[in-house]
Amino acid sequence: MGRLSVLIPALVLAAAACSSPEPAAPPPGHVLYRGAGYTFTHPAGWTERRTTDERRSPLIELHGPPGPHGAFRGQVIVARRDRYTGTMRDQLLQARAFNTVYGRQILTDRPHRVPGATEAHWIEAVYEERLPGGGTVQVKIVDIYALTPKGTMLNIAVRAPSAEFAVAGLPAVLRSVRVAS
């Protein structure tokens, strides 16, 4: 009975670890953001704004400070579609069409691993954005599409002016994305 009583709790803990990945520990200067069914870290001090998209689905926007050019030094925008009935392929067809229509140059388009997601994909692109005072700035954006075990399609978009993407701490944001089951 001694070995069995040790083995059963160990199996329960292993199953729990597989079904709900622990959020990544925030790197220095970052904080953990817990959304409905997902987590990620972002630089401390960013502001949050909650809105809805054209389908009235929730949007979460996190904004870094504005740069001298008027664009935010970093942003994370999370869109979600609960009870998603399409496939990842359907979502990617829409995403690729959106990138084409808006003149974005796709740099990377590949399957991606997001802990806790049943399927995920990474699309990285660059585009020119008009600034409030005139002129343009090149923006780098990475969209992570993640399908949750409960059938929610998440789009976690991380963007900043290309020259500031790394210094804004956005690679750490991308590494920290987790989906709760």
Side-chain angles (χ1 to χ4, degrees), residues 49-61 78-79:
R49 182 173 159 222
R50 292 175 179 261
T51 60
T52 56
D53 66 12
E54 65 280 352
R55 293 185 196 115
R56 315 224 358 107
S57 296
L59 276 179
I60 306 295
E61 298 180 21
V78 182

Side-chain angles (χ1 to χ4, degrees), residues 19-85:
S19 65
S20 183
E22 284 298 310
H30 283 230
V31 295
L32 181 65
Y33 184 87
R34 288 184 185 274
Y38 61 90
T39 62
F40 58 85
T41 66
H42 66 84
W46 282 24
T47 59
E48 179 180 339
R49 182 173 159 222
R50 292 175 179 261
T51 60
T52 56
D53 66 12
E54 65 280 352
R55 293 185 196 115
R56 315 224 358 107
S57 296
L59 276 179
I60 306 295
E61 298 180 21
L62 295 165
H63 301 274
H69 38 65
F72 290 112
R73 287 203 160 130
Q75 288 181 296
V76 179
I77 301 169
V78 182
R80 63 180 293 129
R81 289 182 55 199
D82 294 323
R83 295 177 299 283
Y84 181 69
T85 57

Side-chain angles (χ1 to χ4, degrees), residues 119-141:
E119 190 174 2
H121 203 87
W122 172 295
I123 297 179
E124 181 177 340
V126 293
Y127 62 95
E128 295 293 319
E129 184 172 290
R130 290 219 175 278
L131 298 172
T136 60
V137 65
Q138 185 185 60
V139 173
K140 177 178 177 177
I141 184 167

Side-chain angles (χ1 to χ4, degrees), residues 132-158:
T136 60
V137 65
Q138 185 185 60
V139 173
K140 177 178 177 177
I141 184 167
V142 175
D143 283 287
I144 294 177
Y145 297 94
L147 188 57
T148 73
K150 292 183 178 178
T152 296
M153 178 60 76
L154 296 171
N155 173 204
I156 301 171
V158 178

Side-chain angles (χ1 to χ4, degrees), residues 60-121:
I60 306 295
E61 298 180 21
L62 295 165
H63 301 274
H69 38 65
F72 290 112
R73 287 203 160 130
Q75 288 181 296
V76 179
I77 301 169
V78 182
R80 63 180 293 129
R81 289 182 55 199
D82 294 323
R83 295 177 299 283
Y84 181 69
T85 57
T87 65
M88 181 62 74
R89 185 172 187 257
D90 298 331
Q91 178 62 55
L92 295 175
L93 287 171
Q94 290 178 5
R96 292 172 184 133
F98 180 87
N99 280 308
T100 299
V101 166
Y102 286 96
R104 294 178 176 177
Q105 177 189 0
I106 295 177
L107 305 174
T108 308
D109 184 340
R110 63 174 169 78
H112 183 63
R113 184 183 174 283
V114 172
T118 58
E119 190 174 2
H121 203 87

